[in-house]
Amino acid sequence: MGLLTMIVGLPLAPLKGLIKLAEVLRDEADRQLYDPAVAKRELEEIEKARDAGEISEEEAEEAMERVLLRITGQATDLPDDTEGR
């Protein structure tokens, strides 16, 4: 039975590999999206940019809020970051 299952399942191997790859990519994206260390690093970069005068106080507050809402899972209602560009 194992040989027959392998022969019948062989054409599906590329599809199974693609599905596994998609799952790995999704898991990595979720890890990076919700990792507190990544959020902390982003908040530090925002603060450095604000201190250097690269962004305004208002832009820094908005960026920090986006990071905090994303890390808490509440970022679904935020406007797209590419608006106005």
Side-chain angles (χ1 to χ4, degrees):
M1 192 66 130
L3 181 61
L4 182 60
T5 304
M6 186 177 78
I7 292 172
V8 172
L10 196 58
L12 297 177
L15 180 60
K16 289 179 182 180
L18 183 62
I19 291 171
K20 182 63 178 173
L21 177 62
E23 290 171 351
V24 169
L25 291 173
R26 182 202 60 215
D27 292 344
E28 180 63 19
D30 284 345
R31 185 192 66 77
Q32 289 184 11
L33 190 61
Y34 299 111
D35 185 6
V38 172
K40 181 181 177 187
R41 193 168 37 251
E42 289 176 1
L43 291 171
E44 289 170 351
E45 289 173 5
I46 293 166
E47 191 168 327
K48 285 179 186 177
R50 182 187 59 202
D51 291 344
E54 297 172 2
I55 60 175
S56 69
E57 184 71 30
E58 184 179 295
E59 291 171 324
E61 287 179 16
E62 290 174 5
M64 287 181 175
E65 183 158 344
R66 279 195 302 269
V67 171
L68 294 174
L69 288 174
R70 185 190 75 219
I71 197 75
T72 59
Q74 301 173 10
T76 56
D77 296 326
L78 290 177
D80 187 16
D81 193 27
T82 59
E83 284 185 20
R85 290 185 186 174

